[in-house]
Amino acid sequence: MATTAVAAPSARVKAKQSKRFKIWIGFLFLLLIAGGYFIVERLVQGLPVTNLSSITPWGAWIAFYIFFVGLSAGSFLLSTLIYVFGMMEYERIGRMALFTAIVCMIVALTFVLMDLGRPERMLNAIIYWNVTSPLAWEVHFYLVYIALLTTELYIAMREDLVRLAGTASLKGKVAKWLTFKNSTITESTKKRDHKWMKILGTIGIPLAILGVHGGTGTIFAVVQARPSWNTGLFPVIFVVSAMVSGTALLLAMYIIKKKATKQKIDHGMVVSLAKMMVGFLFIDLGLQFYEYLVGVYGLEHHHLEGLGTMMGSAYSWSFWGVQMFLGAAIPIFLVFNKKTGTNVNALLTAAILIVIGIIGVRFNIVVPAQIVPLFEGLPAGDYFPTFNEWMVSVGIAAMGLLIYTFGEQLLPIEEIQSSEKTEG
Amino acid sequence: MLSNMLGSKNMTEKDWNNLLDTALPDVEKEMDASPFDTKLSFNMADDARKVINENLNIKDFHKKYHSKLLKEFGEEVGQDFASGADEPAQETDGVKWGMVIDLRKCVGCDTCTVSCKAENRTPPGISYNVVLEQEIGDFPNVAKVNLPRPCMQCEKPSCVQVCPTRATYKLKNGIVTIDNDRCIGCRYCIVACPYGARSFDFGESYEDEMPGYNDVTSPEYGIERGERKPGKTPIGTVRKCNFCLHRLERGEEPACVETCVGDARFFGDLNDPNSTVSKLSKSPRAFRLKSDLGNGPNVIYLK
């Protein structure tokens, strides 16, 4: 399919693309600077710039933190479908998935850093590791996970790096530096790389499921004081919703990038990824159904109040509107409708809506459980992020997108072979 | 059959004893059959009863049987039984501070809250102690329930479990403390505490209403931190009630106990069976908040 494309993009198209790229970078920098102002404000003034309180101590930044950890775990697990389970039809997005996973982890950890009352003491969680604390375990898991992702991405890119090392472009220079000059590609290195991809991916699966994302769910699930978190199913839902959001994000990124650079879209892969995304969404909804059913059936006062806050209070727009309608009902319709199910634009909309829906899911996890008072007589929480919290979040997200965009400029994240073919 | 027997005739004491004799094994025979000394076991059981009835000192009891037990059970078991000669005077069980709050005496005046704020100089938004007031019942059968809530200083605190840095921990005397110089301010402990007893120090101050507020801070945990300034510990970390540890160390009761107008609060050593709190904690009126959670609060309420 790629070979049938136009022989070489004309200079006009290229100029247009580079202009578009500049606008994109400029836009991201603008967001980063705007967000940066509020990040500085937060660092100077401390947490009073947020709407957090001792009643609702965790807010938007924690929600975004678990959202990005979920995106990371989801993208990584998708990459294992390719490198461990050999589903080569998705190979096009393999490195993109790995690189996205790394960037999302960086973003997630930045959110945690913003949220700490004493960011300068962050290393204490490593120095004074409390082995009974899920949060301390998570910090360690995240670091190991990022190291593993980086190694895996390097191996996945190695052949292309070696190929690029000879060229004079910026990518070539970076490649030369990264390949230690003397690297070669032979049958044996191919075999070795393939083997290591499989090994690292296999180690990564339990690490991502149990350690990184299941573990992040565990941070919440072990809290006995908040019954709506305190269930065994909770970490499982975390992992499944990570798969949902990870698949949706990669699908959206793939389509947007191909559209922006006017490259051919692999239609078959898009449709199949969309089906997989909705498949994960169905499992997620099923698990949530049981979670809520068991919670309601227990008639435990505190648990009922937690669910009531989520589904039937001033906060319920986030559950019904964002999580259920935008994030589930519409995407399911778009994917299964005969007309829209094969339309790339409709599937792109579905993927973006699912990503937004999962943001809603994360907020609905974090906030409502902290609104319900721990005792009758204690004041109920009241939380909505301040302008500062939103802007800091925008700034951090822009930072992530910038890292991704520059990374793609410097590293062979996209398959070279296919792009070479496109360029004839 | 038994119910038949009970129903058909009035049982005399002799009948009861007969019933018992047939139902229970003969202790003497049982002990003879065992590899252990029958006489020793009987003597020890008698003396143990005396100890329970406070007719015999536990130390004398230990002294009396130390050598005999060594001979009977060998080093392993006998060692645990102090000889009495060089008794390490109650080294293992020190004090365990506990509080008893009599809800029938509490009038809901909030003196404890105010005196706590004054003693610990807590900033706006932080109250180590609060009094939850609730009206129960329908008019005209209404009652007001006041529930003072300090930190429960749990036996197995959730906050200590979840703290990623071990910045919050339990002292030997049972008080749950925070090392504010180590705390990273992640607020996981606030989320995990079932009693809502922890607060985050956002750095607010009463300086505007009360000039000089910032000049002096309370020497919490015995640490004199001087002036309260932005960015200076404990700002940005988590704070909580510590039973006024700095007062305890100089032999004073916690501020809330001392100032309670209705004398509703009692404070003392829960390890000492003769202390007021120990005795009150065994009252049938005694209960603990959210006892089903298994945290084991050391603040006990009397209903």
Side-chain angles (χ1 to χ4, degrees):
Chain A
M1 21 96 236
T3 42
T4 57
V6 201
S10 65
R12 205 168 51 93
V13 173
K14 264 202 169 156
K16 207 174 164 193
Q17 269 176 27
S18 94
K19 196 182 163 200
R20 211 180 257 175
F21 180 75
K22 273 178 192 152
I23 293 174
W24 169 242
I25 292 283
F27 172 68
L28 287 182
F29 262 112
L30 216 71
L31 289 184
L32 183 64
I33 291 166
Y37 170 79
F38 289 94
I39 289 174
V40 171
E41 188 192 28
R42 178 257 171 268
L43 290 175
V44 171
Q45 294 190 18
L47 289 177
V49 297
T50 66
N51 260 347
L52 298 171
S53 62
S54 293
I55 300 160
T56 313
W58 284 353
W61 293 336
I62 292 293
F64 279 118
Y65 143 63
I66 60 175
F67 170 70
F68 279 101
V69 170
L71 284 183
S72 174
S75 320
F76 169 74
L77 289 175
L78 198 65
S79 84
T80 63
L81 289 184
I82 303 153
Y83 298 121
V84 179
F85 298 106
M87 293 166 94
M88 285 309 165
E89 62 264 39
Y90 301 124
E91 205 183 353
R92 249 159 245 291
I93 53 162
R95 293 180 209 171
M96 201 169 109
L98 283 174
F99 192 50
T100 308
I102 296 174
V103 174
C104 284
M105 276 322 286
I106 296 171
V107 170
L109 289 180
T110 314
F111 271 110
V112 176
L113 195 64
M114 280 300 116
D115 193 67
L116 289 185
R118 286 266 164 185
E120 78 277 12
R121 293 182 188 163
M122 59 179 170
L123 286 179
N124 280 10
I126 292 168
I127 301 169
Y128 307 108
W129 183 0
N130 179 10
V131 290
T132 61
S133 168
L135 188 55
W137 277 93
E138 281 322 294
V139 174
H140 292 79
F141 274 130
Y142 294 157
L143 296 181
V144 174
Y145 175 65
I146 292 175
L148 181 128
L149 287 175
T150 312
T151 319
E152 208 183 334
L153 178 65
Y154 178 77
I155 297 174
M157 291 189 311
R158 208 191 71 92
E159 282 185 15
D160 282 345
L161 283 174
V162 172
R163 269 186 220 117
L164 275 171
T167 62
S169 62
L170 182 62
K171 258 187 188 176
K173 275 180 197 153
V174 175
K176 209 168 184 180
W177 181 68
L178 282 174
T179 49
F180 313 108
K181 286 173 191 167
N182 57 352
S183 292
T184 47
I185 313 169
T186 60
E187 273 309 307
S188 74
T189 62
K190 260 189 186 167
K191 229 176 170 178
R192 181 197 66 190
D193 288 355
H194 193 75
K195 193 182 86 186
W196 274 104
M197 283 304 282
K198 209 164 181 177
I199 292 174
L200 289 174
T202 314
I203 299 173
I205 291 172
L207 185 69
I209 293 181
L210 299 174
V212 173
H213 212 57
T216 307
T218 308
I219 292 177
F220 295 87
V222 297
V223 177
Q224 211 184 6
R226 320 266 169 183
S228 34
W229 293 346
N230 190 220
T231 68
L233 205 52
F234 208 75
V236 182
I237 294 180
F238 253 70
V239 174
V240 177
S241 51
M243 296 295 294
V244 177
S245 64
T247 317
L249 179 76
L250 287 175
L251 182 59
M253 277 171 59
Y254 175 78
I255 298 175
I256 291 172
K257 236 173 53 191
K258 290 291 165 188
K259 274 184 179 278
T261 54
K262 292 258 164 40
Q263 289 180 41
K264 189 139 191 350
I265 293 170
D266 185 344
H267 197 266
M269 188 187 75
V270 166
V271 172
S272 130
L273 265 181
K275 290 260 160 64
M276 188 155 78
M277 167 181 85
V278 174
F280 287 137
L281 181 62
F282 274 125
I283 302 174
D284 195 29
L285 288 173
L287 291 177
Q288 281 180 36
F289 170 74
Y290 284 121
E291 174 84 358
Y292 303 143
L293 177 74
V294 173
V296 170
Y297 203 88
L299 296 178
E300 199 263 316
H301 174 69
H302 204 77
H303 203 156
L304 284 182
E305 258 191 291
L307 292 174
T309 309
M310 187 165 76
M311 297 177 192
S313 74
Y315 295 89
S316 60
W317 60 269
S318 173
F319 180 78
W320 296 113
V322 181
Q323 178 173 344
M324 285 303 171
F325 185 68
L326 290 182
I330 294 185
I332 289 172
F333 173 79
L334 285 176
V335 172
F336 280 102
N337 186 291
K338 273 210 181 97
K339 232 178 178 175
T340 54
T342 50
N343 182 321
V344 172
N345 285 332
L347 293 180
L348 174 63
T349 315
I352 293 174
L353 283 178
I354 284 187
V355 173
I356 293 171
I358 298 287
I359 297 181
V361 171
R362 300 314 186 200
F363 270 85
N364 295 336
I365 285 170
V366 173
V367 178
Q370 299 177 78
I371 297 300
V372 184
L374 290 161
F375 283 108
E376 256 180 274
L378 277 181
D382 179 16
Y383 175 79
F384 190 80
T386 56
F387 187 63
N388 177 293
E389 287 178 85
W390 288 120
M391 285 311 290
V392 167
S393 307
V394 167
I396 297 174
M399 177 198 80
L401 284 170
L402 269 177
I403 295 175
Y404 186 89
T405 313
F406 280 123
E408 215 164 46
Q409 291 299 305
L410 298 175
L411 299 167
I413 302 294
E414 277 193 80
E415 305 270 315
I416 291 189
Q417 276 167 317
S418 64
S419 59
E420 269 171 356
K421 269 183 218 155
T422 319
E423 284 164 19
Chain B
M1 206 175 92
L2 189 67
S3 62
N4 212 353
M5 197 165 82
L6 290 172
S8 61
K9 90 179 187 195
N10 287 330
M11 298 269 287
T12 62
E13 197 183 346
K14 213 173 128 197
D15 295 320
W16 284 116
N17 285 342
N18 278 340
L19 197 64
L20 262 183
D21 284 344
T22 51
L24 287 177
D26 186 354
V27 269
E28 208 154 351
K29 248 191 224 155
E30 291 288 320
M31 275 316 289
D32 279 334
S34 83
F36 302 110
D37 191 345
T38 309
K39 222 170 130 197
L40 176 66
S41 72
F42 276 55
N43 288 344
M44 267 187 90
D46 281 345
D47 284 344
R49 262 180 225 119
K50 278 186 202 159
V51 171
I52 291 168
N53 294 329
E54 299 187 0
N55 293 328
L56 181 70
N57 193 316
I58 182 92
K59 279 180 194 165
D60 296 333
F61 179 68
H62 281 192
K63 216 190 249 170
K64 189 171 173 187
Y65 291 105
H66 178 68
S67 57
K68 282 179 187 159
L69 282 174
L70 270 182
K71 215 162 63 189
E72 184 78 10
F73 293 106
E75 283 291 318
E76 243 174 283
V77 180
Q79 205 59 261
D80 295 339
F81 228 75
S83 62
D86 47 350
E87 182 115 326
Q90 287 193 329
E91 200 183 47
T92 44
D93 45 344
V95 289
K96 184 171 91 183
W97 295 118
M99 193 183 281
V100 176
I101 303 175
D102 190 340
L103 296 183
R104 281 199 208 164
K105 282 181 168 180
C106 176
V107 294
C109 66
D110 283 302
T111 302
C112 46
T113 309
V114 174
S115 65
C116 171
K117 275 195 86 76
E119 174 66 37
N120 292 298
R121 300 183 72 85
T122 52
I126 299 184
S127 262
Y128 293 165
N129 180 87
V130 290
V131 181
L132 313 180
E133 287 168 33
Q134 242 194 314
E135 242 179 49
I136 53 169
D138 294 317
F139 181 81
N141 300 316
V142 288
K144 205 152 190 186
V145 180
N146 307 305
L147 186 85
R149 193 238 52 208
C151 170
M152 302 289 133
Q153 318 291 355
C154 302
E155 210 53 40
K156 293 173 190 160
S158 300
C159 50
V160 170
Q161 247 183 334
V162 301
C163 176
T165 63
R166 284 179 277 145
T168 188
Y169 55 96
K170 215 168 150 60
L171 294 179
K172 263 193 186 147
N173 61 17
I175 294 175
V176 178
T177 58
I178 298 175
D179 180 348
N180 289 100
D181 294 305
R182 184 186 284 188
C183 173
I184 58 174
C186 70
R187 311 187 292 288
Y188 197 2
C189 54
I190 306 183
V191 170
C193 174
Y195 301 98
R198 290 175 158 250
S199 315
F200 183 75
D201 193 335
F202 284 92
E204 288 163 90
S205 167
Y206 288 114
E207 187 72 27
D208 293 342
E209 303 115 85
M210 184 183 149
Y213 170 80
N214 282 345
D215 294 351
V216 186
T217 49
S218 175
E220 280 183 293
Y221 314 110
I223 301 168
E224 196 70 69
R225 292 192 187 273
E227 197 187 339
R228 183 174 162 84
K229 270 193 287 202
K232 192 173 159 193
T233 308
I235 292 171
T237 63
V238 175
R239 300 177 62 176
K240 69 179 281 293
C241 156
N242 49 62
F243 274 174
C244 285
L245 189 61
H246 57 285
R247 286 173 61 93
L248 291 179
E249 275 168 356
R250 54 178 191 244
E252 292 172 322
E253 288 183 313
C256 55
V257 180
E258 195 171 85
T259 57
C260 181
V261 296
D263 219 0
R265 294 201 188 215
F266 301 89
F267 191 79
D269 179 9
L270 284 172
N271 273 349
D272 174 5
N274 293 319
S275 69
T276 314
V277 281
S278 279
K279 284 177 179 161
L280 285 175
S281 72
K282 290 181 187 81
S283 146
R285 285 167 62 206
F287 75 101
R288 287 166 165 86
L289 289 178
K290 296 192 181 181
S291 56
D292 50 323
L293 291 188
N295 289 105
N298 279 324
V299 172
I300 297 134
Y301 292 89
L302 301 178
K303 60 185 161 207

